[in-house]
Amino acid sequence: ENLHANIGVGHVRYSTAGASTRENAQPLVLNYIKGTLALAHNGNLINAPELREELAYSGAIFQTTIDSEVIAYHIARERVRSKTAEEAVARAMQKIKGAYSLVIMSPRKLMGARDPQGFRPLCIGKRGNAYVLASETCALDTIGAEFVRDVLPGEIVTITQEGIKSDTRLCQKQQTAHCVFEYIYFARPDSVIDGVSVYHSRLMAGRYLAMDSPVDADIVVGVPESGNAAALGYSLQSGIPYGTAFVKNGYVGRTFIKPTQKEGESSVKIKLSVLESVVKGKRIVLVDDSIVRGTTISNLITMLRKAGATEVHVRISSPPFLYPCYFGTDVPSNKQLIASSHSTEEIRQQIGADSLGYMPIEELPNMVGDLPICRACFDSHYPMEVPKQDISALLES
């Protein structure tokens, strides 16, 4: 109510490359010779350390440790020698590599840009005469805006008082590679990304999981929230009744992204509690979207057994996480990935499950139809050459 203007840009995402500190909060705002530039970024650049060093040696002073500042600097520098802000964005996009969905605000324009692979989502909405750019369609629903379309991989859209324009010169230069983890975990189930319903993709994942890893049990339960739709799919396919075993505290953040293992473990107990009347004396199929470190699922199994579950069979609606992600999934090193150093049987023993089954990697395309996906965290087939070392560590140094 205190803001009287016709353009705004905001950001609600935690940092991946660079620590979650106040100075790293977005949107980033630069004041330079052409006015003010505000930028919000979802994704990770893979060449940020080299670009940062190059800028630093030419006199740039950095206020943050995030790769988004490198993007903002490059756009500002290109703007000085470009006729328009969108031309500056296009020039900067030819230098930066990796995953980026951007919302950029200049004094008279709002721009959206998506990397040529389309790793991270970005869509356009409209409410009355106002255009909206957002990562997910659920954000449009929240404010009563109508979904117009997705921003194309490589596209730059510019919104001014005259309306909306599109620059597709960088589109289709490379094969697209949409992050499959958006559908497995990140996105909200009521979103539709690149024409694919997130809820439907999770439901299908559960169905294929039931076909590939059947088990005799009394009830199928999901780990809230991202495991619920897959659990329902498993139930529908297997005929085992679906139930709710966990009650979620809605005031606690995500445990997947807690900086330390200990923080992740303690927040699981604050975040979820078990409905004893549902699980007591039952053989449980526990469906979750992924196992990263293994600590969260281990705690949940312990909680179910304490509540009287006689068997706990874990089913995971994604393949084993084996390789680091360089594009913003916040899995920076193999050391944190339990599946990269343990067999399925070793993981089963470590987490305390009666059985453990993953979705076979061959079934992943069935989740998302014919959408070209990046699944490098499962098979190491990165859609571009990736750095030899951890990007986060390089940026912090």
Side-chain angles (χ1 to χ4, degrees), residues 10-14 26:
H11 194 272
V12 291
R13 188 172 175 272
Y14 64 94
Q26 295 190 43

Side-chain angles (χ1 to χ4, degrees), residues 49-374:
E50 304 97 276
L51 292 176
R52 189 187 180 96
E53 190 176 9
E54 185 188 303
L55 286 164
Y57 275 106
S58 63
I61 298 165
F62 289 92
Q63 308 295 323
T64 79
T65 57
I66 54 175
D67 53 354
S68 314
E69 193 173 13
V70 172
I71 304 173
Y73 263 125
H74 270 286
I75 294 170
R77 291 203 164 189
E78 292 297 341
R79 180 67 186 93
V80 175
R81 46 179 178 261
S82 303
K83 283 183 180 177
T84 63
E86 48 268 49
E87 188 185 325
V89 172
R91 285 183 174 180
M93 282 171 70
Q94 289 170 326
K95 292 184 178 178
I96 60 180
K97 290 180 190 166
Y100 54 88
S101 284
L102 306 172
V103 179
I104 306 145
M105 184 171 74
S106 72
R108 286 178 295 279
K109 291 173 183 171
L110 180 67
M111 288 162 284
R114 198 172 174 196
D115 68 74
Q117 262 88 15
F119 285 105
R120 300 282 153 220
L122 190 64
C123 66
I124 306 165
K126 195 168 190 238
R127 192 180 80 172
N129 294 321
Y131 280 99
V132 185
L133 293 166
S135 276
E136 291 190 48
T137 57
C138 64
L140 305 178
D141 298 335
T142 304
I143 60 163
E146 173 196 348
F147 171 74
V148 176
R149 65 176 178 88
D150 291 291
V151 175
L152 299 171
E155 185 183 14
I156 302 165
V157 294
T158 306
I159 298 158
T160 62
Q161 286 180 318
E162 281 75 56
I164 187 165
K165 293 190 308 195
S166 165
D167 180 346
T168 57
R169 282 175 295 172
L170 296 177
C171 294
Q172 294 169 333
K173 291 275 174 81
Q174 294 151 310
Q175 174 67 31
T176 55
H178 305 276
C179 173
V180 74
F181 211 59
E182 291 283 353
Y183 299 94
I184 292 167
Y185 173 78
F186 272 135
R188 238 172 60 172
D190 51 338
S191 283
V192 177
I193 300 173
D194 293 308
V196 177
S197 158
V198 174
Y199 179 79
H200 183 258
S201 68
R202 290 177 189 170
L203 202 69
M204 292 306 294
R207 281 190 176 276
Y208 282 102
L209 193 54
M211 290 182 216
D212 290 301
S213 295
V215 65
D216 280 332
D218 302 308
I219 189 168
V220 181
V221 304
V223 177
E225 296 288 328
S226 48
N228 287 344
L232 179 57
Y234 193 101
S235 167
L236 291 169
Q237 187 65 38
S238 66
I240 302 167
Y242 174 78
T244 301
F246 297 101
V247 176
K248 187 180 178 189
N249 178 346
Y251 300 97
V252 180
R254 288 179 157 179
T255 53
F256 171 83
I257 56 171
K258 291 293 179 190
T260 67
Q261 186 168 310
K262 206 159 193 178
E263 279 182 86
E265 285 176 36
S266 62
S267 57
V268 168
K269 288 166 187 167
I270 299 166
K271 183 178 175 177
L272 299 172
S273 57
V274 180
L275 289 165
E276 189 177 319
S277 59
V278 174
V279 303
K280 195 169 186 178
K282 301 274 176 54
R283 298 170 298 167
I284 310 286
V285 179
L286 178 62
V287 180
D288 202 0
D289 56 78
S290 58
I291 297 180
V292 182
R293 301 180 185 101
T295 49
T296 299
I297 199 85
S298 177
N299 278 320
L300 294 176
I301 293 165
T302 302
M303 288 163 70
L304 287 170
R305 291 202 192 280
K306 277 186 181 170
T310 56
E311 294 175 17
V312 182
H313 300 274
V314 173
R315 295 294 179 267
I316 303 298
S317 61
S318 65
F321 240 135
L322 296 171
Y323 305 98
C325 173
Y326 297 90
F327 308 110
T329 306
D330 197 27
V331 180
S333 69
N334 289 56
K335 290 175 201 160
Q336 293 185 10
L337 303 174
I338 190 171
S340 70
S341 56
H342 296 78
S343 67
T344 300
E345 174 56 21
E346 285 169 341
I347 297 168
R348 183 198 69 76
Q349 289 175 17
Q350 198 162 314
I351 65 175
D354 289 283
S355 70
L356 171 61
Y358 288 92
M359 175 191 271
I361 195 163
E362 303 79 42
E363 303 285 17
L364 274 181
N366 292 321
M367 282 181 69
V368 292
D370 56 359
L371 191 73
I373 52 174
C374 174

